[in-house]
Amino acid sequence: LTALVDRGALVNGVPGAKWPPLLDAVKNNQLEAIELLVARGADLGWRCREPYASYPGWKDTTLREIAEIELFPAASLRAELGRKSH
């Protein structure tokens, strides 16, 4: 993932993406990918607005909120999420 982002891969996916990379990383508990995407500027304010959002509590929820619901992150990641939301 680092190599892809270093070579220009968009951390938020293509414009208008319905499932950004950070959401995929959160869904699959990929802490290293989450840390990288957050550090590189992933949009924690992105909202899940899809009608097929079948995960409980995801509909109209921000990526930051989804991460808090789905993960039990390390203290450093939790601190990073807090800093990025302000």
Side-chain angles (χ1 to χ4, degrees), residues 12-74:
N12 293 309
V14 297
K18 294 181 180 182
W19 192 274
L22 184 56
L23 184 55
D24 195 45
V26 167
K27 180 180 176 287
N28 291 291
N29 296 313
Q30 298 295 317
L31 293 178
E32 289 180 17
I34 294 165
E35 289 173 339
L36 173 71
L37 292 167
V38 168
R40 298 292 183 95
D43 180 8
L44 294 168
W46 176 90
R47 288 194 177 273
C48 184
R49 301 195 188 272
E50 295 305 310
Y52 58 79
S54 60
Y55 294 94
W58 281 28
K59 181 83 168 111
D60 201 38
T61 303
T62 66
L63 272 172
R64 182 179 191 281
E65 293 164 335
I66 291 169
E68 289 174 351
I69 292 167
E70 296 296 317
L71 297 175
F72 299 102

